[in-house]
Amino acid sequence: MDSTRRTLLRGGALATLVPAGALAGTRPSAAAPPLPADPFTLGVASGDPGPDGFVIWTRLAPDPLADTGLGGMPARDHRVAWQVATDPGFRRVVRRGVAVARPEGAHSVHVEVGGLRPGREYWYRFRCGRWRSPAGRSLTTPGVGDRVSSLTMAFVSCSSYQHGYFTAYRHLADEQPDVVLHLGDYQYEGPANNGERSHIGGETVSLADYRRRYAQYKTDPDLQAAHATSPWLPVWDDHELDNNYADEISENPSEQGSFLQRRADAYRAYYENMPLRRRSVPRGIDLQLYRRVSWGRLASFHMLDTRQYRDDQACGDGYQECPDAFAPGRSLPGWEQERWLLDGLRRSTATWDVLGQQVFFGRRDANADPAVEQVSMDAWDGYHASRDRMIAGMETGRVRNPVVVTGDVHAHWASEVFRDQDDPDSGIVASEFVTSSITTGGDGYDKPDGQHPWAAYNPNLRFWTNLRGYVSTRITPSEMTVDYRCVRFVQQPRSEVFTRASYVVEDGVRGMQQTADNPLVSARFAPPSDRQIIEDTLREETGRPQG
């Protein structure tokens, strides 16, 4: 829906910068007595890096699971001092200041640090009264036009607290990538399942609910480690609000009357808990999330929002044979975002253009009959014309190396994007790499040949495993290497991590090449029948998750 037609339900005023003072010497204001307990229980984070700085974030919450959603904080402003240094011991502090954490923003702090040098590593921390936060590490991007020898980037998605331990986040933190793309489903809205890692409370529907749910997730030490290690570029999918919603349309018609208020509350809580810039401060039911970040001349990251502006899923959602999926007037990212993306691709001078987005881009037909196309209405398959416009834009814009990275589907996949999705001989336009979930779906399994049953009649599908994990990449001017990192289990802690498969895309060469294959050969992780694999896939992608 066009932004001029939207109802502005409420605004959000969050942390405000005030004149600087040294971290060690900062005193609480007279209106804010000292906090009796450590308020930094949710850790620290950084994000949206640029050549001269980045956002640093924290949120004060001495009692993070308080049912008010306010983390046990009193209803008054608190001054929070911050420092940025060039060394982890903070002997060389180069920027410092004081932010005000306000109750209307759940005492979150978003500082847009500037004046830093491009392409450098920095450390940051906060202090409130006598309490000091853990330190975090961040990076500035190289300068515009700078030559860059290499970049390490990881991408993640779908972390249900109830479905398992966030061990994959810990392994990701150990790798210390230069940047992390979170592609959505950072948290889940479902009610408590009364398991070992159960959500607190029922389904999230109010601002207090969403605030407390984020706080519960952020108390996890593995997630905190991943945030503290690298700057993030987060974008949402559906579960930050509600399963499979589309713009202003709830999945459940009976909830439509209260859905816009719920959306405003969910978007507000998302901003409060993510390291985002001021441009993303929500305005009622709207939040500007899609954006572009360049890494010198090496890479440009086009971070998409495929929920907030989309047309409703055709034919009632699910996997369907649906003529409406081909309607030319339908858009998945929305028309304005489509134009923004196509213009950015056309203007790009980067060696690698990476589209960070949520739902499967390539074709996945669930029906072996070539006369019947049964595809996901929630993915790009349900928006054929929109996808065709993106593919045409990659070609007419002469994009040097387009790569799509995706989350959502709770399994690792690799897929080629054909010029004509129904014709593998039409040529490859881009490669798509899809990350599995951090935990969602619980313990998974592996198939020795790395092939989903659908690959037999979807020639674009190159690889699949149902294990949990994340994807690590290394990008250089000559190639992009992709490692599918997997944990063996998530329903118990401390699983080891291993690389299940690796691929490389060479500069100027369309298509991926497999360079490593390490199947998990164990009776414990043996796959079920092909029929069961397909049933599991459809259940994971079309059933209403209880996570």
Side-chain angles (χ1 to χ4, degrees):
M1 181 174 288
D2 189 273
S3 60
T4 60
R5 295 165 53 205
R6 296 183 183 275
T7 303
L8 298 182
L9 297 176
R10 67 173 68 142
L14 301 184
T16 304
L17 296 183
V18 297
L23 185 67
T26 298
R27 297 178 180 177
S29 67
L35 296 172
D38 183 3
F40 296 110
T41 59
L42 306 184
V44 299
S46 71
D48 279 11
D52 69 339
F54 37 74
V55 177
I56 58 175
W57 172 95
T58 193
R59 179 182 158 200
L60 307 182
D63 182 10
L65 304 183
D67 58 11
T68 61
L70 296 176
M73 287 292 293
R76 55 182 57 141
D77 295 351
H78 280 262
R79 291 159 56 89
V80 180
W82 56 269
Q83 289 181 330
V84 175
T86 59
D87 66 295
F90 290 85
R91 293 182 297 275
R92 295 182 295 278
V93 174
V94 293
R95 289 291 181 273
R96 67 182 74 207
V98 177
V100 177
R102 304 189 187 281
E104 57 265 34
H107 292 96
S108 60
V109 175
H110 300 72
V111 179
E112 294 189 22
V113 181
L116 303 179
R117 299 179 66 185
R120 296 295 194 276
E121 188 178 37
Y122 291 93
W123 286 262
Y124 61 93
R125 64 185 180 184
F126 300 90
R127 184 165 186 151
C128 184
R130 66 188 179 94
W131 303 103
R132 190 168 69 189
S133 77
R137 167 186 173 268
S138 196
L139 291 85
T140 53
T141 67
V144 176
D146 285 359
R147 295 184 182 275
V148 182
S149 60
S150 67
L151 158 69
T152 55
M153 178 271 290
F155 57 99
V156 298
S157 161
C158 302
S159 48
S160 170
Y161 189 91
Q162 299 196 126
H163 286 193
Y165 289 87
F166 290 168
T167 309
Y169 276 141
R170 175 67 63 173
H171 290 299
L172 173 65
D174 291 342
E175 294 181 16
Q176 290 197 336
D178 295 329
V179 65
V180 175
L181 278 54
H182 198 295
L183 302 178
D185 295 343
Y186 182 97
Q187 62 94 38
Y188 281 73
E189 78 280 21
N193 68 0
N194 300 316
E196 185 174 348
R197 277 170 60 90
S198 179
H199 284 160
I200 295 174
E203 182 168 346
T204 54
V205 294
S206 69
L207 180 58
D209 293 340
Y210 285 110
R211 284 170 167 172
R212 182 167 66 166
R213 185 62 52 82
Y214 278 108
Q216 182 178 14
Y217 276 58
K218 284 179 172 291
T219 58
D220 185 275
D222 296 332
L223 175 56
Q224 288 191 13
H227 269 303
T229 299
S230 306
W232 282 35
L233 293 175
V235 285
W236 54 36
D237 194 12
D238 52 341
H239 291 289
E240 289 85 355
L241 171 49
D242 190 29
N243 183 60
N244 278 24
Y245 79 95
D247 192 6
E248 298 181 9
I249 302 171
S250 172
E251 179 192 43
N252 188 341
S254 67
E255 299 174 356
Q256 190 60 45
S258 59
F259 185 71
L260 295 187
Q261 181 64 59
R262 183 180 182 183
R263 172 170 150 163
D265 290 341
Y267 282 16
R268 181 174 176 181
Y270 183 83
Y271 176 82
E272 291 170 351
N273 286 280
M274 291 293 155
L276 296 169
R277 292 183 180 269
R278 291 186 188 93
R279 64 186 172 221
S280 295
V281 172
R283 299 182 60 205
I285 64 168
D286 296 320
L287 187 155
Q288 176 62 46
L289 191 59
Y290 65 84
R291 61 206 187 279
R292 187 173 290 115
V293 171
S294 296
W295 213 272
R297 295 171 60 177
L298 182 62
S300 184
F301 296 101
H302 311 263
M303 304 302 295
L304 305 187
D305 173 357
T306 62
R307 284 292 160 193
Q308 187 174 184
Y309 313 105
R310 65 158 67 198
D311 286 292
D312 196 11
Q313 293 92 343
C315 294
D317 208 355
Y319 272 74
Q320 306 284 351
E321 181 187 10
C322 178
D324 288 348
F326 295 84
R330 288 167 44 77
S331 175
L332 191 147
W335 290 95
E336 183 177 339
Q337 188 175 186
E338 277 196 21
R339 289 189 290 270
W340 169 86
L341 175 58
L342 293 173
D343 182 66
L345 291 173
R346 180 177 57 83
R347 294 173 179 271
S348 176
T349 58
T351 302
W352 300 91
D353 281 279
V354 180
L355 279 62
Q357 58 97 48
Q358 291 73 49
V359 293
F360 216 103
F361 193 84
R363 178 178 183 266
R364 287 186 308 156
D365 190 348
N367 197 311
D369 184 347
V372 177
E373 182 179 85
Q374 181 183 354
V375 295
S376 171
M377 295 297 101
D378 189 56
W380 289 86
D381 271 333
Y383 302 78
H384 275 256
S386 190
R387 179 173 61 193
D388 288 346
R389 291 189 290 270
M390 299 300 101
I391 294 172
M394 293 177 193
E395 288 212 291
T396 60
R398 299 182 184 275
V399 181
R400 182 167 171 173
N401 295 299
V403 175
V404 182
V405 297
T406 301
D408 181 57
V409 292
H410 312 164
H412 283 321
W413 297 76
S415 171
E416 303 289 19
V417 178
F418 296 138
R419 181 175 292 107
D420 179 346
Q421 294 300 293
D422 295 322
D423 181 8
D425 295 326
S426 62
I428 296 171
V429 175
S431 294
E432 179 179 16
F433 300 100
V434 182
T435 182
S436 186
S437 60
I438 293 292
T439 56
T440 307
D443 289 346
Y445 48 80
D446 192 29
K447 197 161 175 271
D449 64 0
Q451 296 296 307
H452 192 280
W454 289 346
Y457 39 94
N458 290 271
N460 57 300
L461 300 178
R462 299 288 195 249
F463 171 72
W464 167 88
T465 182
N466 194 41
L467 294 170
R468 311 294 163 237
Y470 56 96
V471 176
S472 292
T473 74
R474 184 173 185 271
I475 304 172
T476 72
S478 61
E479 64 182 24
M480 177 177 180
T481 60
V482 178
D483 294 330
Y484 285 96
R485 304 285 280 162
C486 294
V487 290
R488 294 173 181 266
F489 49 82
V490 297
Q491 292 176 328
Q492 297 84 37
R494 294 184 293 278
S495 171
E496 64 184 41
V497 68
F498 71 102
T499 298
R500 172 59 182 85
S502 298
Y503 288 83
V504 64
V505 179
E506 297 178 352
D507 174 34
V509 179
R510 291 292 187 260
M512 64 186 76
Q513 304 170 44
Q514 188 168 23
T515 58
D517 183 29
N518 304 297
L520 185 56
V521 181
S522 169
R524 177 179 176 183
F525 306 103
S529 66
D530 283 1
R531 178 179 178 179
Q532 186 62 53
I533 290 173
I534 292 172
E535 289 180 0
D536 289 348
T537 301
L538 294 174
R539 183 182 65 254
E540 280 293 310
E541 297 187 28
T542 63
R544 184 175 176 86
Q546 297 303 306

